[in-house]
């Protein structure tokens, strides 16, 4: 589904972004001519004056660059989002491929942009990682599940803090680094939030299929169960939890580097 939608949008999006480059540079060329022209022609005819007034010439001159700029931003964003969706479209990829984990996380953040917006501060602390032989679409799914949970947990705490009129800055901190042991190297990805934490009594259960504390229709209880499968079974890695009500929750994904 995601793959086919992404595919459908790809060509028109490429057309927009490619032609935008021309639009932008033609606009600048036209402006250069216009400025030169206006400098030379000091006396304007009444006809030109009238036409300028009728067509709102001054306003257009002021508004046009803004419009062009915002189309450019939107077009960049569209291209970026499509790139991210592309990562997700490999969900049932048969073979692992060499992938950049930091890039996978960034793609996930772009997809979640609307839910993160400006209310949550995202602190990225990326290490210099080698390419990892992995199922990148599935790992993106893992990042998606864990970051979504963090956003939801932070949302809950935000509502609570607001009620108590306390100032508190919701944060998601993402760290990636290489861990070395005597004979192997691992990549560690830590995703931490300063949300409400997970009560000790349920910490054992959160990786169970269908375990959720969220209302019907909101939680499926599948996110962590699937993530755990992908990390352990598909990648021979580990998904670790550390959580405390005072500090929040941290999930750590550990992946062996092979290949
Ligand atoms: N970052 C987090 N902060 C607090 N609780 C969490 C967090 N991540 C997961 N949980 C708890 O783990 C449960 C299971 O998560 P998950 O498997 O993704 O299912 P769902 O999100 O559909 O409930 C959640 O219902 C929630 O109680
Ligand atoms: Mg979830």
């Amino acid at each position: 589904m995601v793959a086919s939608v992404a595919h459908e949008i790809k060509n028109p999006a490429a057309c927009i972004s490619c032609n935008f480059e021309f639009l932008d540079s033609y606009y600048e060329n036209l402006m250069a001519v216009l400025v030169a022209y206006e400098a030379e022609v000091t006396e304007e005819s009444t006809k030109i004056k009238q036409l300028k007034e009728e067509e709102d010439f001054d306003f257009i001159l002021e508004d046009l660059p803004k419009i062009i700029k915002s189309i450019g931003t939107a077009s960049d964003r569209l291209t970026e989002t499509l790139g991210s969706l592309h990562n997700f479209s490999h969900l049932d990829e048969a073979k692992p491929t060499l992938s950049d984990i930091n890039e996978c996380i960034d793609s996930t953040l772009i997809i979640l942009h609307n839910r993160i917006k400006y209310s949550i501060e995202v602190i990225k602390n990326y290490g210099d990682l080698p390419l990892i032989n992995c199922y990148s679409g599935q790992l993106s799914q893992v990042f998606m599940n864990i970051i979504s949970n963090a956003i939801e947990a932070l949302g809950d705490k935000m509502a609570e803090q607001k009620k108590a009129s306390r100032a508190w800055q919701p944060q998601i901190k993402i760290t990636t680094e290489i861990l070395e042991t005597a004979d192997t190297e691992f990549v560690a990805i830590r995703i931490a939030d300063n949300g409400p934490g997970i009560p000790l009594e349920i910490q054992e259960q959160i990786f169970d299929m269908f375990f959720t504390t969220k209302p019907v229709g909101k939680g499926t209880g599948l996110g962590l169960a699937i993530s755990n499968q992908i990390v352990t079974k598909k990648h021979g890695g580990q998904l670790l939890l550390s959580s405390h009500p005072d500090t929040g929750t941290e999930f750590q994904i550990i992946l062996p580097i092979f290949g």
Side-chain angles (χ1 to χ4, degrees):
M1 163 67 186
V2 169
S4 64
V5 171
H7 187 76
E8 277 303 313
I9 303 173
K10 209 171 132 190
N11 284 333
C15 170
I16 291 172
S17 97
C18 184
N19 282 308
F20 175 78
E21 305 279 319
F22 290 112
L23 179 67
D24 196 31
S25 79
Y26 291 174
Y27 162 74
E28 291 199 351
N29 298 346
L30 275 178
M31 284 311 287
V33 174
L34 189 65
V35 167
Y37 186 84
E38 298 233 307
E40 299 237 339
V41 183
T42 41
E43 255 333 284
E44 256 173 7
S45 69
T46 356
K47 192 177 162 199
I48 295 291
K49 267 190 196 143
Q50 199 182 340
L51 196 58
K52 277 186 168 177
E53 221 154 90
E54 275 171 20
E55 304 294 348
D56 248 343
F57 187 72
D58 289 337
F59 174 75
I60 291 175
L61 275 192
E62 192 192 306
D63 209 36
L64 193 57
K66 292 182 198 158
I67 291 177
I68 289 182
K69 193 163 173 235
S70 84
I71 293 175
T73 313
S75 162
D76 286 349
R77 185 135 192 88
L78 187 58
T79 310
E80 226 176 34
T81 308
L82 275 173
S84 309
L85 283 176
H86 186 73
N87 271 343
F88 281 85
S89 58
H90 296 292
L91 278 183
D92 40 32
E93 61 221 307
K95 273 197 272 162
T97 50
L98 281 177
S99 318
D100 182 331
I101 296 290
N102 293 335
E103 214 173 79
C104 282
I105 301 171
D106 280 338
S107 299
T108 309
L109 288 172
I110 288 168
I111 292 193
L112 290 171
H113 177 261
N114 272 328
R115 291 173 62 200
I116 297 176
K117 286 242 176 87
Y118 312 105
S119 50
I120 299 175
E121 182 186 5
V122 177
I123 302 162
K124 295 196 258 186
N125 199 350
Y126 291 171
D128 208 356
L129 304 181
L131 295 179
I132 306 287
N133 205 19
C134 64
Y135 299 90
S136 63
Q138 299 187 16
L139 283 184
S140 298
Q141 178 87 69
V142 172
F143 304 142
M144 181 82 156
N145 290 339
I146 293 176
I147 299 171
S148 295
N149 281 343
I151 294 170
E152 279 157 21
L154 289 170
D156 290 346
K157 185 159 171 178
M158 232 181 287
E160 218 174 75
Q161 298 284 313
K162 215 174 196 172
K163 249 192 254 158
S165 19
R166 271 193 289 261
W168 164 79
Q169 173 60 54
Q171 280 177 347
I172 296 178
K173 212 179 277 178
I174 305 176
T175 311
T176 64
E177 63 178 350
I178 297 182
L179 299 179
E180 279 174 68
T181 62
D183 45 20
T184 353
E185 282 194 328
F186 299 90
V187 161
I189 302 125
R190 290 196 289 277
I191 300 170
D193 65 65
N194 60 345
I198 303 175
L200 203 57
E201 320 77 90
I202 64 163
Q203 287 192 10
E204 287 273 308
Q205 298 167 66
I206 58 163
F207 296 105
D208 292 349
M209 277 279 180
F210 305 113
F211 177 83
T212 180
T213 56
K214 293 166 194 171
V216 184
K218 208 166 171 227
T220 58
L222 288 175
L224 289 177
I226 291 173
S227 300
N228 195 38
Q229 291 270 333
I230 291 173
V231 172
T232 58
K233 298 268 157 46
K234 277 273 175 171
H235 293 90
Q238 278 178 288
L239 178 56
L240 307 171
L241 163 70
S242 101
S243 183
H244 194 276
D246 294 337
T247 49
T249 303
E250 178 181 278
F251 284 93
Q252 182 167 209
I253 301 155
I254 296 184
L255 303 171
I257 302 175
F258 41 57

